[in-house]
């Protein structure tokens, strides 16, 4: 369920459940910030409010969790987080929420779940450890933005006291993923400052999607100051400058990001687009040649070719291209949707039904879930009508 904010038509961001780079980084250069170019943020972009527990959360800890004398405190919290009548959080990738917002809404992405869990655990005096989980890179898009993401979770310990030896029952992992899937994945501990930077970077990306560039800038700036070694925030900042029309700052920031992550294609894609906008075609071409050597078939390559084929009415070709993208990333809902649409155009209602169902199952926001559910219902109704028209039993 860890679906997941890159390319602003090639400008890349990392979203909520972001993974992080592991190379040491120098402190960010002061030249990367341009405060005078942006108005003040319309919301609090500080760290203090992210993990803060509200009176309602504290009452819940006292009334519903500490009262369970028959189980260890970390087990009481664990059980509450997985019970639908208690704290169970509905996965929704649309918004990264603070601990208090997640508690109130009972929904959020993986970082929202981690932050709320940490706030409650600390109210109970429990030990917590944040983790970055190694998962295959996942891509999605929002309009002209292509989005890559990773995954984080949290480990609960019995208490903050030192424990000699290792006792597996003393530690419980909180995650949206099923326990069997978690056990098969590698993870490494990360600091609280990195989790806070991830949160801020997510909010920057979400603000950018909403067109709130001032908020996006201040969130990205806060993420860099919170943890200078969280490289994704530099990329987000460069994208914000690109959208804002500050091309010189966008280029400077993206080149800095490229120096920090020389094996990554992300800043190079963004840099090429920035150079295009500056009219520096020869330099952009050189960057693209480097990209082609590093990654001949980037994310969304076959998908974009499929969209072009759909526009030209070449539905057989489009179906094959969408199928290749589904094969590369079977968990992304939009690939299944377009494969279903191509199949529908070819009159293959069975295949269309199959992939609309998969689009529905893999959707990560309530809006997408409702959209695909409606389309699936209409497709199945049409299939019944067509079979009925051929004289078969509509049931």
């Amino acid at each position: 369920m860890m679906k997941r904010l890159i390319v602003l038509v090639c400008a890349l961001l990392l979203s909520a459940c972001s993974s992080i780079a592991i190379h040491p980084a120098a402190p960010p250069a002061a030249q990367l910030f341009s405060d005078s170019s942006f108005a003040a943020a319309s919301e609090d972009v500080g760290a203090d409010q992210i993990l803060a527990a509200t009176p309602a959360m504290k009452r819940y800890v006292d009334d519903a969790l500490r009262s369970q004398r028959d189980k260890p405190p970390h087990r009481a919290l664990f059980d509450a987080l997985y019970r639908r009548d208690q704290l169970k959080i509905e996965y929704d990738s649309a918004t990264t929420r603070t601990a208090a917002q997640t508690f109130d809404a009972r929904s959020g992405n993986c970082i929202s779940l981690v932050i709320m869990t940490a706030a409650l655990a600390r109210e109970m005096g429990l030990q917590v450890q944040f983790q970055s989980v190694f998962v295959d890179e996942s891509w999605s898009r929002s309009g002209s933005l292509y989005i890559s993401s990773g995954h984080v979770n949290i480990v609960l310990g019995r208490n903050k006291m030192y424990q000699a030896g290792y006792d597996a029952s003393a530690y419980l992992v909180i995650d949206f993923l099923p326990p069997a899937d978690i056990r098969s994945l590698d993870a490494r501990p990360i600091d609280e400052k990195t989790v806070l930077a991830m949160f801020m970077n997510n909010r920057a990306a979400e603000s950018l999607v909403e067109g709130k560039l001032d908020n996006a800038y201040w969130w990205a700036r806060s993420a860099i100051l919170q943890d200078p070694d969280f490289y994704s925030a530099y990329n987000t900042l460069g994208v914000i400058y690109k959208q804002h029309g500050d091309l010189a700052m966008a280029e400077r920031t993206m080149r800095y990001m490229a120096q920090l992550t020389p094996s990554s294609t992300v800043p190079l894609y963004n840099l090429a687009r920035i150079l295009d906008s500056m009219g520096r075609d020869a330099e952009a071409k050189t960057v693209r040649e480097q990209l082609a050597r590093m990654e001949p078939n980037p994310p969304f390559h076959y998908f974009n070719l499929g969209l072009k084929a759909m526009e030209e009415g070449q539905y057989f070709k489009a179906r094959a291209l969408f199928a290749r993208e589904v094969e590369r990333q079977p968990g992304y809902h939009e690939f299944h949707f377009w494969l279903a649409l191509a199949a529908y155009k070819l009159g293959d209602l069975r295949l269309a039904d199959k992939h609309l169902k998969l689009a529905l199952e893999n959707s990560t926001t309530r809006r997408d879930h409702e959209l695909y559910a409606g389309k699936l219902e209409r497709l199945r109704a049409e299939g019944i009508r067509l079979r009925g028209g051929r004289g078969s039993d509509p049931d």
Side-chain angles (χ1 to χ4, degrees):
M1 292 183 63
M2 292 304 96
K3 317 302 190 257
R4 326 269 189 221
L5 266 175
I6 131 173
V7 206
L8 124 72
V9 171
C10 264
L12 191 140
L13 307 173
L14 280 194
S15 79
C17 306
S18 332
S19 56
I20 65 173
I22 60 176
H23 315 291
Q31 304 96 308
L32 295 185
F33 297 141
S34 182
D35 296 358
S36 61
S37 300
F38 296 88
S42 63
E43 58 185 344
D44 184 358
V45 298
D48 293 344
Q49 42 98 24
I50 296 174
L51 279 162
T54 61
M57 295 169 70
K58 294 177 181 180
R59 284 195 300 272
Y60 180 83
V61 167
D62 290 337
D63 298 343
L65 299 180
R66 287 203 178 103
S67 60
Q68 299 185 43
R69 307 294 185 187
D70 60 332
K71 61 181 68 172
H74 71 315
R75 171 56 69 175
L77 178 54
F78 179 92
D79 291 346
L81 286 164
Y82 287 98
R83 286 184 54 181
R84 189 166 295 279
D85 62 337
Q86 293 292 321
L87 288 172
K88 186 175 177 64
I89 303 300
E90 175 185 346
Y91 186 82
D92 186 351
S93 66
T95 305
T96 304
R97 295 184 168 95
T98 65
Q101 291 166 341
T102 306
F103 182 83
D104 291 341
R106 296 296 198 273
S107 71
N109 53 26
C110 62
I111 207 163
S112 304
L113 172 66
V114 162
I115 285 170
M116 186 197 74
T117 301
L120 293 170
R122 287 174 176 174
E123 285 298 313
M124 301 175 71
L126 298 175
Q127 179 183 1
V128 299
Q129 175 62 65
F130 303 107
Q131 294 190 133
S132 176
V133 183
F134 294 100
V135 295
D136 292 336
E137 189 174 46
S138 177
W139 294 86
S140 61
R141 70 168 187 161
S142 178
S144 61
L145 290 169
Y146 292 83
I147 300 154
S148 172
S149 66
H151 185 48
V152 293
N153 64 23
I154 187 171
V155 181
L156 297 180
R158 284 184 182 273
N159 53 51
K160 296 179 180 178
M161 297 176 60
Y162 174 77
Q163 296 180 11
Y166 175 75
D167 177 7
S169 67
Y171 303 96
L172 296 169
V173 178
I174 304 298
D175 202 309
F176 276 117
L177 295 173
D181 291 345
I182 297 170
R183 285 193 293 270
S184 66
L185 297 174
D186 292 328
R188 67 182 181 86
I190 54 176
D191 295 332
E192 179 179 314
K193 67 177 183 178
T194 302
V195 174
L196 294 175
M198 289 177 172
F199 177 97
M200 294 168 172
N201 187 58
N202 273 25
R203 293 304 298 269
E206 291 160 4
S207 297
L208 181 57
V209 168
E210 296 168 0
K212 299 177 180 178
L213 294 183
D214 295 319
N215 285 357
Y217 170 78
W218 293 106
W219 276 119
R221 185 184 188 278
S222 294
I224 291 171
L225 293 176
Q226 184 69 39
D227 185 359
D229 291 340
F230 181 62
Y231 299 156
S232 300
Y234 298 101
N235 187 72
T236 304
L237 181 62
V239 173
I240 293 165
Y241 282 135
K242 169 71 165 59
Q243 284 285 68
H244 199 250
D246 301 334
L247 299 182
M249 289 298 294
E251 180 189 3
R252 179 183 299 168
T253 307
M254 212 57 72
R255 288 191 184 279
Y256 185 79
M257 168 73 174
Q259 290 175 357
L260 296 176
T261 57
S263 63
S264 174
T265 59
V266 168
L268 296 180
Y269 276 111
N270 294 326
L271 179 59
R273 297 300 298 180
I274 292 165
L275 294 171
D276 282 339
S277 299
M278 300 174 83
R280 292 155 61 180
D281 299 342
E283 293 177 72
K285 180 181 177 182
T286 299
V287 173
R288 288 198 172 88
E289 289 171 349
Q290 181 181 352
L291 279 168
R293 292 190 295 271
M294 295 173 67
E295 191 175 35
N297 298 311
F300 281 78
H301 174 72
Y302 300 116
F303 176 78
N304 288 324
L305 292 176
L307 291 181
K308 185 174 185 295
M310 290 289 285
E311 291 176 0
E312 297 170 349
Q314 300 182 49
Y315 302 125
F316 282 105
K317 181 179 179 180
R319 182 178 64 182
L321 288 164
F322 293 141
R324 293 188 71 175
E325 207 66 90
V326 163
E327 184 178 358
R328 293 204 298 179
Q329 189 176 318
Y332 183 47
H333 60 92
E334 192 174 15
F335 295 160
H336 288 288
F337 169 73
W338 280 94
L339 179 52
L341 185 57
Y344 174 80
K345 291 289 189 179
L346 293 169
D348 189 345
L349 298 188
R350 185 182 298 276
L351 185 64
D353 182 276
K354 172 185 174 181
H355 285 281
L356 261 183
K357 184 172 182 291
L358 288 169
L360 175 65
E361 292 174 355
N362 286 281
S363 59
T364 60
T365 67
R366 291 172 181 171
R367 177 182 175 278
D368 287 336
H369 190 275
E370 292 170 358
L371 173 68
Y372 295 141
K375 290 183 180 296
L376 185 61
E377 183 178 351
R378 289 193 294 274
L379 176 68
R380 289 177 172 175
E382 180 170 340
I384 290 173
R385 288 198 299 272
L386 288 174
R387 290 196 299 275
R390 290 194 296 267
S392 59
D393 185 349
D395 293 329

